[in-house]
Amino acid sequence: MENISFTLHRGEVLGLSGLMGAGRSKLARILFGLDTREHGEVRLAGEALHRLSPRHLIERGVAFLTENRRSEGLCLAAAVADNLALVTLPQHGRTPVRWLLRDWWQAAVTRIRSVVQLDSKTSDTQPVRTMSGGNQQKVVLGKWLLTNPKVLILDEPTRSIDVGAKFEIYRLIHELADQGAGVLVISSEMEELMGLCDRILVMRSGKLVDDLPRKQFDRERILAAALGTKKEVGS
Amino acid sequence: MNRAGQRLLDFAPLLLFAAVLAFFGTQSEKFLEPRNLVNIVVQASSTSIVAVGMTFVLLTAGVDLSVGAIMFVAAAIAGKMAIAGWPLPLALLVMVGVSLVFGAFNAFSITRVRVAAFIFTLATLFIGRGLGLRITETRALNLPDSFLQIGSARFLSVPLPAWLFAGVLILAHLVLTRTPFGRQIFAVGHDVEMAKKAGIRTGRILAAVDLISGVCAAVAAMVTLGQLGAVSPKFGEQKEFAAIAAAVLGGTSLLGGRGNVLPGTLLGALLIQTIENGLVIINANPYLYPMVTSVVIFAAVLLESLRNRVK
């Protein structure tokens, strides 16, 4: 991958389009510190980040929903409540007294359940593996929403989940953007990106090849850029 | 497997316990006397405390084979100090200090050098055993009465070791179920890589459980010293296996991420101690003991494998 430069603005939903293997997931993983980069700079609110590691980024309000929710996003054997509270645990109860009064935990879990509209038939104590794909994805998203992210990176957030859950996730993305967060969405479904995003970037074999604002959204142009059948626009 | 089977597995340790009590109860009248039952709890306390530390390590999918050796070294050093006339509280403090050094040694190697816990703590076991034998010159140390006095001292008519025992269990239970640290232990045990992606400081968690396991070994050594008043060259030997068996019998998974201290590990430790006590009471052939131990370990492993099949 080389020569990639882009800005994600506050309150913006930015789509990342391209074919499989174009480097979209790789880019997201680098941004979250899961994969290493040779050089290049990442800035958050104008401040250059020297160390990219999940923990540092989470502390700064970055969240990343990976494309493999079952293997990377969830403790499948653990309870729903445990999965929801996982990332926010260290922020809670730094004092021993608060530790033992578990109300904060239960309150957070109950609140986020209603935010992500988790199926009310599911209980907090049931293992996540017993849930449907859509509900599992809502748990992963809920886990990250609890951190009040300023930047949310979503890799294929609606893959293999039911239509109802898809729309819930679109709604949550818009809500978050309305609250001022920047959202980067990777998706292989072009209609999804065109419906969801304010701007779409297109990647092809490790390079950024196009950048379209909403007004210029055009299936043909995005496809051409992704396939490389048309002259490249922008950088 | 169906839901009923799962329930049965959940209650398996309890059923086993009941069966063991019933068996020895019919074999000897003395067995079910309150005095003997209290005795079982007192005898189980040191194994239980080690097993609590072991539970923490097992929950992260690790293992600590050095706990028995840590008990030995800590007891040997404290014993030497006590014989040389050092004050008792200082000797106890040094025991904790020694256990922390060994725990930190394990933690450093496992998290930084990244060697397998199973092999590395085995190495620590031999280091500890060797050091302990050097310190005691392979002789039994008979300690001043002060140790036995704390062993039999009572607070609100309950023996001090029993308070320590209860304290460790309750504290461990609260830490595991109610603190962010405790929940992170489970997450690390489920999947270290996933835990890292959730921003958990996995290295710290892994290091912390080794330290906890070490300190639990030191506390168990104190309790044992209070009961025996002596350090023999076999002090703490094979405690690691009793501890692992107790934890696993109680439902803690060797694969990490699943288990509990209350009631699981406590029940496992009581079960093991009850069998040992019962064999003595019914005057069983001593050559039978290792066979019975093997049956206990087999039962633990069988339960573990059945549980893994269910979940």
Side-chain angles (χ1 to χ4, degrees):
Chain A
M1 284 210 297
E2 55 185 2
N3 227 350
I4 293 176
S5 178
F6 70 95
T7 309
L8 172 64
H9 300 281
R10 259 169 232 255
E12 182 183 40
V13 181
L14 180 61
L16 195 49
S17 185
L19 302 177
M20 297 277 266
R24 298 167 303 161
S25 293
K26 178 90 176 162
L27 177 61
R29 294 177 70 87
I30 288 173
L31 286 176
F32 198 62
L34 296 178
D35 288 340
T36 52
R37 68 199 192 285
E38 275 167 35
H39 48 81
E41 190 183 53
V42 179
R43 289 193 197 185
L44 186 63
E47 185 194 351
L49 301 177
H50 300 291
R51 262 188 83 183
L52 291 185
S53 82
R55 188 169 58 77
H56 287 98
L57 290 160
I58 289 167
E59 278 170 9
R60 287 161 190 276
V62 182
F64 176 44
L65 189 139
T66 66
E67 63 181 322
N68 312 311
R69 65 169 167 270
R70 295 179 70 86
S71 62
E72 294 188 319
L74 291 166
C75 272
L76 285 172
V80 173
D82 275 323
N83 272 288
L84 282 171
L86 189 63
V87 185
T88 24
L89 281 174
Q91 297 167 16
H92 286 294
R94 292 207 189 263
T95 56
V97 181
R98 267 200 90 192
W99 280 4
L100 301 180
L101 305 173
R102 218 171 13 171
D103 300 351
W104 53 263
W105 183 0
Q106 193 53 53
V109 167
T110 309
R111 181 175 68 80
I112 209 68
R113 274 185 77 107
S114 74
V115 170
V116 299
Q117 304 263 313
L118 204 59
D119 187 348
S120 56
K121 286 197 288 283
T122 61
S123 81
D124 285 350
T125 52
Q126 87 181 78
V128 171
R129 82 150 44 108
T130 61
M131 301 174 101
S132 70
N135 277 315
Q136 285 180 354
Q137 193 71 323
K138 286 179 183 176
V139 170
V140 184
L141 195 57
K143 171 176 91 169
W144 290 115
L145 290 181
L146 267 175
T147 65
N148 293 319
K150 294 194 200 80
V151 177
L152 178 61
I153 305 168
L154 303 155
D155 194 353
E156 302 286 359
T158 62
R159 178 186 284 170
S160 63
I161 66 175
D162 59 282
V163 180
K166 270 187 193 181
F167 282 100
E168 285 299 329
I169 285 169
Y170 298 155
R171 177 182 63 82
L172 289 165
I173 289 172
H174 281 301
E175 267 180 30
L176 202 65
D178 289 343
Q179 288 160 22
V183 184
L184 180 66
V185 187
I186 297 172
S187 176
S188 298
E189 286 182 49
M190 203 184 301
E191 282 74 17
E192 177 172 281
L193 286 184
M194 289 172 65
L196 192 62
C197 301
D198 302 314
R199 188 157 65 99
I200 294 179
L201 303 175
V202 186
M203 281 185 77
R204 189 180 71 238
S205 37
K207 294 193 184 78
L208 213 51
V209 290
D210 208 350
D211 181 346
L212 303 86
R214 185 162 190 98
K215 269 178 267 170
Q216 296 172 24
F217 280 3
D218 174 10
R219 275 189 63 94
E220 305 296 319
R221 179 169 161 190
I222 294 173
L223 209 59
L227 292 167
T229 52
K230 195 174 144 189
K231 196 177 183 314
E232 289 176 16
V233 185
S235 57
Chain B
M1 204 182 290
N2 56 19
R3 193 166 284 257
Q6 199 171 324
R7 298 286 295 172
L8 196 66
L9 267 182
D10 287 344
F11 283 104
L14 213 55
L15 293 176
L16 269 177
F17 195 46
V20 167
L21 283 178
F23 173 74
F24 287 116
T26 56
Q27 296 295 309
S28 162
E29 283 172 13
K30 274 190 288 179
F31 180 76
L32 285 176
E33 278 174 19
R35 189 197 297 179
N36 189 50
L37 295 180
V38 170
N39 219 352
I40 291 174
V41 176
V42 171
Q43 287 170 343
S45 55
S46 87
T47 303
S48 304
I49 293 169
V50 183
V52 165
M54 190 64 76
T55 306
F56 276 80
V57 182
L58 292 177
L59 281 174
T60 64
V63 72
D64 184 355
L65 297 180
S66 65
V67 285
I70 294 175
M71 285 179 71
F72 183 38
V73 180
I77 292 175
K80 277 284 183 188
M81 286 175 72
I83 289 168
W86 292 71
L88 184 66
L90 195 64
L92 296 180
L93 214 60
V94 166
M95 290 179 80
V96 174
V98 168
S99 73
L100 282 173
V101 170
F102 273 88
F105 184 50
N106 283 336
F108 174 79
S109 312
I110 292 162
T111 58
R112 295 281 158 194
V113 191
R114 290 167 194 274
V115 287
F118 177 74
I119 300 299
F120 192 80
T121 57
L122 191 63
T124 312
L125 183 161
F126 287 111
I127 294 171
R129 280 274 145 212
L131 267 179
L133 289 176
R134 175 75 191 76
I135 293 165
T136 60
E137 291 158 337
T138 327
R139 282 197 291 262
L141 300 178
N142 286 312
L143 303 185
D145 286 343
S146 52
F147 269 105
L148 280 176
Q149 275 160 17
I150 58 157
S152 53
R154 282 164 185 268
F155 178 67
L156 298 177
S157 77
V158 176
L160 214 52
W163 281 108
L164 209 53
F165 177 30
V168 168
L169 279 168
I170 293 169
L171 188 67
H173 179 72
L174 289 177
V175 167
L176 282 180
T177 56
R178 299 196 154 221
T179 67
F181 170 66
R183 304 319 295 174
Q184 289 178 335
I185 289 178
F186 283 88
V188 170
H190 273 300
D191 188 344
V192 182
E193 288 307 313
M194 193 230 57
K196 265 187 205 148
K197 282 170 197 136
I200 293 174
R201 296 170 185 242
T202 52
R204 279 194 188 188
I205 302 281
L206 291 172
V209 295
D210 282 326
L211 292 176
I212 289 171
S213 172
V215 171
C216 283
V219 174
M222 290 175 199
V223 171
T224 312
L225 284 180
Q227 288 164 355
L228 302 179
V231 186
S232 75
K234 290 202 168 263
F235 191 93
E237 208 167 60
Q238 297 187 353
K239 266 289 193 227
E240 55 279 355
F241 292 112
I244 294 171
V248 174
L249 270 176
T252 299
S253 169
L254 290 169
L255 306 174
R258 176 163 51 76
N260 57 72
V261 163
L262 284 179
T265 300
L266 172 64
L267 211 55
L270 283 177
L271 184 55
I272 290 172
Q273 195 58 50
T274 305
I275 293 170
E276 227 169 88
N277 174 288
L279 288 174
V280 174
I281 292 253
I282 64 168
N283 265 328
N285 183 342
Y287 292 113
L288 212 62
Y289 292 14
M291 305 291 170
V292 176
T293 307
S294 81
V295 171
V296 170
I297 291 177
F298 178 74
V301 175
L302 183 68
L303 277 178
E304 154 87 353
S305 115
L306 287 175
R307 284 185 190 114
N308 286 336
R309 237 175 281 174
V310 171
K311 308 260 160 118

